[in-house]
Amino acid sequence: MSLTDLSTRLRDFATTRDWHRFHTPKNLAMALSGEAGELVSLFQWLTPEQAAAAMDDPDLAANISDEIADVLIYLVRLADVLDVDLVKAANAKIDRNETRFPPVSRG
């Protein structure tokens, strides 16, 4: 499934539940922030080693996957409402970052 397909599915999901009226940019950005916070909370007190191995714990892995999905869902929905092409925006940002942050020379 592409991002376009996911966006369409989410738009249809919201529309059939009459949620589109609540899916304002402000509300979606706030929901995205909340879900990102829930993802952060899963890693908050882990050591770097524990965080790297988090997906080895089935319960934690399921929670991480759910929170990542929630972040993606709200991000895709926000981009749809604002008519932002996520892939185009991400590539443009990477292009700018390639100029701002040149490769490290190994020598």
Side-chain angles (χ1 to χ4, degrees), residues 5-68:
D5 294 336
L6 180 59
S7 183
T8 300
R9 184 173 182 201
L10 291 169
R11 186 182 322 119
D12 292 345
F13 183 88
T15 299
T16 60
R17 287 155 181 81
D18 199 27
W19 289 355
H20 61 279
R21 59 194 169 118
F22 303 113
H23 285 192
T24 64
K26 177 191 77 73
N27 288 352
L28 291 167
M30 290 173 64
L32 173 59
S33 177
E35 295 300 339
E38 290 181 19
L39 177 60
V40 168
S41 75
L42 296 174
F43 291 96
Q44 184 171 5
W45 302 114
L46 300 181
T47 65
E49 296 77 20
Q50 289 170 324
M55 298 306 283
D56 295 337
D57 176 330
D59 291 333
L60 183 55
N63 288 331
I64 290 169
S65 293
D66 279 350
E67 295 308 332
I68 288 174

Side-chain angles (χ1 to χ4, degrees), residues 102-107:
V104 175
S105 61
R106 307 244 185 236

